[in-house]
Each structure stands twice: as C-alpha cells, then as structure tokens.
Amino acid sequence: MTSLSTKSIVFHKLIRNVNNYAKRMSSHFIYYPDKERPVDGETTKMNMMQAINNAMDITLKNNPTAVLFGEDVAFGGVFRCALGLQEKYGKDRVFNTPLCEQGIAGFGIGLATAGATAIAEIQFADYIFPAFDQIVNEAAKARYRSGGEYDSGALTVRAPCSAVGHGGLYHSQSPEAFFAHVPGLRVVVPRGPIAAKGLLLACIRERDPCVFLEPKILYRSAAEEVPVEDYTLPLGKAQTLRVGAAATLVGWGTQVHVLLEVADMARDKLGVSCDVIDLQSILPWDEETVCNSVKKTGRCLISHEAPLTSGFGAELAATVQEECFLHLEAPIARVTGWDAPFPHVFEPFYLPDKWRCYQALIQLINY
C-alpha cells in the first residue's frame, strides 16, 4: 500500500512538472486582448474556443441547412469547439465522421454543392494534406468548371493550426501558404475571440469556400469581452492595431501578439513607434492597407511561424517591393520559422519570438 501511495505521488508530481513545462514552452508571447468592439450591445467574456462555438451555435440556430461534422465533433472535438452543439441540434446536424480527411472535405463539397451550409472540422491542420486535392481541385474550382451553374461556396473548413508549446512536428504546422496559391479559396487566420467569431461567421456566409485556420494555443489563452449578438468582420481586410512612424510590422494569428510586444519594446527602449497590422485574411490579402502603411513608414517587417522559403511573407515582401520601392528606407525583413521540420523540445528556438523580431527591427531602423 505504501509503495502504491509513493508511486501515486511520484506520478502526480510528474504530471504537474509536465504541465508546468508545457506552460513555459508555450509562453513565447503575451496576449493582447482587443479593447474595441465591432458592434454595440451586450458582451460576455469568452476565450477563443467559446467564441468559435458561439459562432457555430448562431449558425446552426438561424440556418436550418447548416451542418457541422468532423472527427470526434459529436462530443465537442478534441479542443471542445463544438461542445454541446449535438445536444442542442441533434445527431443529424452535428456528427462524427471516419478518420478520413479527404472524405470529410469531399463530403462537405457535396453538401455545399447540394445547397447545404457545410462546416467541416479537420482535427489538426497538419492532417489537412490528404484533403488537399478535394479542397484545391474540387471546392476551389467548382464554380469555374461549371460555368457558374453550381459551386461549393457554402463550405467552410476549420482547422487548428500553429504552435501550441508541445505539439512537435505533426501538431504545430502553419499551412496557410499552401492554400494561398489557389484561386477560388479564401484563407483566414484570427488573432483572438472577437476576431474569430466575426471572421468565422463571415466565412460561413461567404459564397466562396473558406479555409479557416485557428491558432490552437489561443483557444484558452486568449479571452476577451465578446459581443453576444450576431456580427461579421469583413474578409480580405486587415486591421491596423497600432499606429506609428518608424516601421510597419505585419503578422497574423498568434504572431500578431508577438509583434505588439515588439512595438512596445521599440517604444520603451528605442523611443520609436510602429504600425502593427493584423492581416487576418491571407487570401485575398489587404494590399492597400499594408502598402499605404509602408509608404508612410519606409520600413517593413513581416513575421510568421511557417518556414521562411515560400512562406506567405514572401508574397507580401514581393508586393511591397513592387508597390513601395521608392518609399523604402531599408530592405524588407522577414522573421519566420526555420526551413526545417517543426521541432519538439527545440520549439523555443524555432519560433520567431519577440527577441528575433526586435533584433530585426533594430537592424531595419539602423540601416
């Protein structure tokens, strides 16, 4: 009995140490909650998981054609974003699928083409690649190939993405650049609960198929006072979160919060102010907002978790160079993940944290 108690104590200590370790590993950013509300009226505190759940709840309530499906969705999903929805709307509208991402996407395309509103969940964005053919060659091209006779625009594919602190190479990837190359899709990445609810509702109602990538580390670490009522945020439109004159910092998802902290560091340590832009929509992206900012500041730093080579930052850099060349005071900087598989214990060295971004900003300013 004593031996069993000792083993139990050791086990609980181990679990506590693992949890503490995970917290340390996932603390590469400070979360900056949104203060502005997109609409007036009642608000309630939600984390990003709850905000996404609320958006889907509103959709299922108001749209009788809407269905939600994916692996383990019936009990809420591994991140609990669908929690309680099957109980409210029934097994014919919220249900599990086989572990077959290609099948999930293909089923969603069929539903959307037939007139339903399909919300498909891929359990992790790392496993969306078996569905790549269906999304790229079928969903994105349905309207074009049919001459406008039919489309699958009522399809939204949700997928948890990006670093979480302990995910390793198969649960940490950021695949937005793969889909940004595909005409006919919309690709969206929110930075927090208010943005997630408004952007997800916009994607669900959009008449083009959407890939909605959810930074999973924000599911519970991000909390804000979210409007209770129905609202949408415009797709294809960036948000300027800070206004400054020294440089333009561009990111999306979790990386926006890293850049906000870098802007604070630049203000406190260097005495300079920066524009901080959350791109929000990867495809289409808001060229006007970004380029107008760069023309004003003369310097541009782009940061994302995905690898450097052919990351979406390369597209931004090319466009900024073409449109803002005569306004640039320094070469465009990119601070990203490395061109390597996403590591486990070395995750802190892989991520483009505030120190790497801050060093790049110093070099921009001193160029």
Side-chain angles (χ1 to χ4, degrees):
M1 192 70 179
T2 304
S3 175
L4 182 60
S5 299
T6 302
K7 288 180 179 178
S8 178
I9 292 170
V10 170
F11 178 73
H12 283 96
K13 284 183 176 179
L14 175 62
I15 293 298
R16 186 170 63 250
N17 287 337
V18 168
N19 288 337
N20 289 337
Y21 180 67
K23 290 176 184 176
R24 290 197 300 273
M25 288 283 284
S26 63
S27 60
H28 70 282
F29 70 100
I30 296 173
Y31 183 73
Y32 285 75
D34 281 0
K35 302 299 183 184
E36 296 185 9
R37 308 286 176 261
V39 292
D40 296 327
E42 181 186 356
T43 65
T44 187
K45 189 172 184 178
M46 299 184 195
N47 59 31
M48 199 171 86
M49 178 274 288
Q50 293 167 323
I52 289 168
N53 179 280
N54 183 232
M56 295 191 293
D57 190 1
I58 289 171
T59 300
L60 290 162
K61 178 181 178 181
N62 297 331
N63 182 350
T65 75
V67 291
L68 169 62
F69 52 93
E71 297 164 10
D72 300 318
V73 162
F75 78 88
V78 293
F79 293 105
R80 320 304 281 166
C81 289
L83 187 65
L85 296 180
Q86 187 183 76
E87 289 79 357
K88 289 183 72 172
Y89 300 103
K91 294 182 179 180
D92 58 338
R93 298 187 65 198
V94 180
F95 49 86
N96 288 336
T97 65
L99 283 86
C100 178
E101 287 78 12
Q102 185 177 15
I104 293 170
F107 179 68
I109 292 166
L111 278 175
T113 304
T117 297
I119 307 170
E121 178 180 303
I122 303 296
Q123 197 165 85
F124 287 89
D126 311 68
Y127 299 116
I128 203 169
F129 299 113
F132 196 74
D133 173 62
Q134 288 291 319
I135 296 170
V136 171
N137 280 332
E138 304 299 338
K141 297 175 174 61
R143 182 182 287 111
Y144 181 84
R145 70 183 293 200
S146 70
E149 290 188 15
Y150 62 85
D151 64 76
S152 54
L155 170 66
T156 298
V157 180
R158 297 178 38 248
C161 70
S162 304
V164 70
H166 47 267
L169 71 167
Y170 288 131
H171 297 84
S172 305
Q173 296 176 76
S174 299
E176 65 271 10
F178 288 97
F179 294 101
H181 194 64
V182 184
L185 290 181
R186 288 181 179 265
V187 183
V188 177
V189 187
R191 69 174 179 276
I194 292 175
K197 178 179 175 179
L199 290 170
L200 180 55
L201 283 169
C203 283
I204 292 169
R205 294 164 188 172
E206 170 61 35
R207 300 315 300 169
D208 289 321
C210 297
V211 176
F212 191 80
L213 299 172
E214 303 162 4
K216 54 187 168 289
I217 197 171
L218 300 179
Y219 279 141
R220 286 168 178 77
S221 63
E224 294 168 347
E225 287 292 329
V226 180
V228 173
E229 68 176 84
D230 188 335
Y231 67 92
T232 60
L233 295 176
L235 301 179
K237 184 66 178 173
Q239 285 191 2
T240 302
L241 305 178
R242 295 281 178 82
V243 177
T248 299
L249 314 182
V250 184
W252 49 91
T254 309
Q255 202 62 21
V256 171
H257 303 287
V258 175
L259 295 177
L260 286 168
E261 187 174 3
V262 170
D264 284 350
M265 294 167 66
R267 178 197 62 208
D268 298 339
K269 298 175 182 292
L270 305 176
V272 300
S273 60
C274 299
D275 275 7
V276 179
I277 296 175
D278 176 8
L279 210 57
Q280 295 193 127
S281 287
I282 304 299
L283 185 67
W285 66 280
D286 189 350
E287 297 182 23
E288 182 180 6
T289 294
V290 173
C291 289
N292 284 345
S293 173
V294 176
K295 288 175 182 177
K296 177 187 71 172
T297 66
R299 298 174 178 86
C300 182
L301 186 154
I302 303 160
S303 188
H304 55 72
E305 289 185 19
L308 175 71
T309 300
S310 298
F312 192 66
E315 174 64 26
L316 270 67
T319 300
V320 169
Q321 192 273 342
E322 289 175 0
E323 299 296 327
C324 309
F325 180 73
L326 296 179
H327 299 268
L328 290 173
E329 301 289 344
I332 300 160
R334 286 184 290 157
V335 185
T336 70
W338 303 110
D339 287 343
F342 200 106
H344 188 198
V345 296
F346 294 120
E347 179 175 306
F349 303 102
Y350 181 91
L351 290 170
D353 63 10
K354 64 182 180 182
W355 299 112
R356 286 176 57 195
C357 293
Y358 179 64
Q359 183 60 40
L361 178 59
I362 292 175
Q363 292 173 352
L364 272 182
I365 292 171
N366 292 336
Y367 183 82

